Amino acid sequence: MDMNSISGWLQASVRLAASLMLVSVGAVYTERVGVINIGMEGMMLAGALASVAASFFTGNIVIAAICAMAVGGLLAILHAYITVSRRASQLISGFAINILALGATNVGYARLFPTERARVATYPVLSPPELRAVPFFGEVIFAQPVIVWIALILPLVSAWVLYRTSWGLNIRAVGEHPHAVASVGLSVYRLKYTGVILSGVFAGLGGSALAMADLGYFAPAMTGGRAFVVLAALIVGKWNPIAVAAACMLFGAADALQLRIQTFGAVIPYQFPLMVPYLLTIAALAGLVGRTAAPKTIGKPYDPEII
Amino acid sequence: MKERKAITFNSLGEFLIPLSRPLLAIVLALTVSAVLIWAAGANPIEAYAAMLQGSFGSVAALANTGVRAAPLILGGFAVGLGFKAGLWNIGGEGQIYLGAAAAAAVGIIPLPVPAWLHLLLTVMAGFVGGVLWMLAPAYLNAYRGVNLVCTTLMLNYVAGFFVSWLLHPPSPLAETDTHFPMSPLILPSARLPILIEGTSLHAGLILAVVLGVVLHVVLRYTHFGFRTRMVGENPEAARYAGIGVTRQIFLVLLICGGLGGLAGAGEVLGLKLRLFDFFAGGVGYEGLALAMLANGNPLGIIVGSVFFGSLKAGATKMQIVTGIEASLALVIEALTVIFVVAIGFGERVRLTRQKQKKSRA
């Protein structure tokens, strides 16, 4: 492989990783407060449709992003209500939200755009042409749309909040010892709701990035399991925002690789790089690649009366 | 005397409430969906009438409902049996793919055996395919304590890509000279017979219902079923009673995988007659919803599957009549599940309060 095809591959890797990284920002918070959110797949899908529709009807990309985040956040409130307030199964709620979003986006998309695929503007590239002409970095970083930059910066912000602020400490504590958090007078419910809602908001934004970073359209079921890749990244990255983002980058690179194999052909079948994130996660879970330790109360409902 | 009366009343209530919960949830889901249909610009009554007609209105409609229900029933068992042992098999989707692939592999080879034996071998291959796919997560969970939900979930996507790979040349399972990735046609000797001439209702439905009865009997009246339920209800007590909990978990999970495999085999051998990539389209996850709605009860899963199947069959008709996407069936399914879990908490509180009252008395 020559230099050009390597930087081309890296550019695609970063772009494909961007939507995963955006989803991962919120995913870390929901699992840190002890709530698994499998429904992020559906929230991503709903966010993708919401942003394309908003962009189509308003022409404003900021409104599109806000709509995506709002729709994801609303679905997350539903998830939080079922799992935190009602203490029902997080898995059932998550899968139900996925099925709901799949059905609702299909119905909504066919209703909004009955005749042809709606094309909308993509997120703009903000850097001046001189920067884009810089060899290698110009292509891999500066030629990327603004949403990719946001995706690259957010994990750093998220890590700072989680490890350097007292609110981040509360978030980390509530998934480990909710009763201890309650005993110092903090609201466990509020922290849990916040964590879950953040995951929906960023899943929605991730969906928006998926549809509008470079495609500029929505397609039914277009997320294709990407939120599950993020769940895999959480395990591989041990719930640390930066490590999780790095895992997302790795999985994005695998995705970019398989696209290249599909286009240019190679010795290995294109399906194999796609399996990598999932197999790597199973290896991590089985203890073959380091040890992983999930937040202690993950998946369990919080009942203030039962310690 | 008084006390006995109170107890009968309570147990009647405990019998009725689990039944009324899904019914109430269905009514609520249909009400919310009616608002959505209205918002999408159609008449809800007209839409529901079309759905009813498309699912139960004629022999062809009933056959459609049956065809849609068959994979859901088996997919529901794959999860529901696990529930009885307190296990969460989220891997139905992957087991469906591998069962379908194994069945297709045997179903396209002309074997020098009678047709019934070829079919039997093909169906068994489907079961074995599912079992093999479950082998690693079952071992890791039973013997190593690795989280079953994560491993089975991850393997679903591996399975999808694996089958996709199997359907691309130079794989021997790939049909040559086609535009879409698919396997060659299943040989007539390995196909599940059609039950009603002129429809696509195939014997997979019978297989599913018979297995449901078998599963019900096994869970209720055999040692194996008793051990399974005991592991599910109280693994510590089960261990204390001398039950090999680890081995039981391993075995139950393998059977779960096999049932998932059968769901995939039925689709390929009865309906699609070829293996396509990514054909399952979420049936494994709907099986999870059904198992939850029925609390793992095989007969309940059959009833739930017929309901989900009728929604899917009816939605196709509704799309023709009203122009609203047939995916609305998924919305109604999801809302039913959401309402059931949302109502469920209230019931649990009621039951614990009752227990507390009893223990106080």
Side-chain angles (χ1 to χ4, degrees), chain B residues 145-163:
Chain B
V146 175
N147 187 319
L148 184 69
V149 171
C150 292
T151 49
T152 48
L153 180 63
M154 297 296 147
L155 279 178
N156 286 344
Y157 287 91
V158 179
F161 296 129
F162 180 70
V163 165

Side-chain angles (χ1 to χ4, degrees), chain B residues 100-123 125 172-175 183-191 268-269 273-275:
Chain B
V106 178
I108 59 170
I109 305 171
L111 293 175
V113 293
W116 66 267
L117 186 57
H118 192 192
L119 176 61
L120 185 69
L121 286 174
T122 314
V123 170
L173 212 59
E175 177 79 292
S183 76
L185 265 176
I186 303 292
L187 295 173
S189 58
R191 290 180 196 167
V268 167
L269 304 177
L273 307 184
R274 286 176 194 272
L275 178 65

Side-chain angles (χ1 to χ4, degrees), chain A residues 36 38 41 78 81-82 85-89 91-93 95-108 110-111 224-226 228-229 231-233 235 269-272 274-279 281-282 285-287 301 303 305, chain B residues 36 39-41 83 88 90 140 144 146-147 149-151 153-155 157-158 160-166 168 277-278 281-282 285-286 288-289 292 323-328 330-335 337-338 341-343 345-346 348-349:
Chain A
I36 301 168
I38 283 172
E41 175 82 9
L78 177 65
Y81 174 73
I82 295 172
S85 299
R86 288 299 198 179
R87 293 175 221 158
S89 160
L91 295 172
I92 296 286
S93 171
F95 280 116
I97 286 172
N98 285 344
I99 297 175
L100 178 70
L102 180 64
T105 51
N106 279 353
V107 173
R111 174 85 190 118
R226 282 190 170 74
F228 294 104
V229 175
L231 290 175
I235 295 167
Y270 77 85
Q271 290 91 354
F272 284 19
L274 285 169
M275 295 181 191
V276 166
Y278 307 108
L279 291 175
T281 306
I282 294 171
L285 285 165
D303 186 334
E305 285 165 25
Chain B
L36 292 178
F83 274 13
W88 285 74
I90 313 292
L140 286 173
R144 291 291 170 90
V146 175
N147 187 319
V149 171
C150 292
T151 49
L153 180 63
M154 297 296 147
L155 279 178
Y157 287 91
V158 179
F161 296 129
F162 180 70
V163 165
S164 163
W165 173 60
L166 284 180
H168 283 80
D277 61 351
F278 305 109
Y285 301 120
E286 289 171 87
L288 177 70
M292 192 277 304
I324 291 178
E325 243 321 272
S327 302
L328 186 79
L330 294 177
V331 175
I332 302 176
E333 284 179 13
L335 288 173
V337 174
I338 287 170
V341 289
I343 304 167
F345 176 67
R348 209 175 334 141
V349 167

Side-chain angles (χ1 to χ4, degrees), chain A residues 31-45:
Chain A
E31 298 221 341
R32 283 285 186 157
V33 298
V35 180
I36 301 168
N37 187 357
I38 283 172
M40 287 188 303
E41 175 82 9
M43 295 168 195
M44 238 183 131
L45 191 60

